[in-house]
Amino acid sequence: MSKKSKYEVGELLVMGPNPEHLGVVVEIEEDFYKTNHGPMNRITIHCETTINKTFYLPEVAVGQAFDGEPGWIKVNDP
C-alpha cells in the first residue's frame, strides 16, 4: 500500500528565490521513485509565468532547492 501524499492536486506553491512565480500541483504519482528509504512520490507542478512551465520533482524536494531545480514552497492557507 502506498503512502499518502503530503500535497493535493490543486495546491498552490511559490517558487523559491522568485516569489512572484506561483505553481499549482497538477499530478501526484505515488511510489514513482524507488529509493533505499522506500518508495517516494513525484509531484508535477505547472507554472504559467516561467519559461519551463512544468516541473517534475520528488515530493520531499518541496521546501528546498533540489539538484539545481527551483525551490518550491507550499503556500500557507490563511
Side-chain angles (χ1 to χ4, degrees):
M1 177 168 261
S2 62
K3 299 181 289 185
K4 173 123 173 79
S5 177
K6 295 186 284 186
Y7 305 95
E8 295 180 13
V9 171
E11 266 189 297
L12 290 178
L13 303 173
V14 64
M15 187 183 285
N18 216 344
E20 71 259 10
H21 295 303
L22 284 176
V24 63
V25 177
V26 293
E27 185 178 8
I28 299 168
E29 296 169 87
E30 293 188 4
D31 302 340
F32 183 85
Y33 299 106
K34 307 300 181 206
T35 71
N36 291 339
H37 303 287
M40 190 183 310
N41 297 343
R42 178 173 91 163
I43 62 173
T44 303
I45 301 167
H46 182 75
C47 179
E48 281 291 327
T49 59
T50 59
I51 294 170
N52 184 9
K53 294 183 179 182
T54 304
F55 300 86
Y56 304 93
L57 65 156
E59 186 176 65
V60 296
V62 175
Q64 60 188 353
F66 184 76
D67 282 344
E69 291 291 318
W72 289 95
I73 303 165
K74 187 174 177 179
V75 175
N76 294 331
D77 293 335

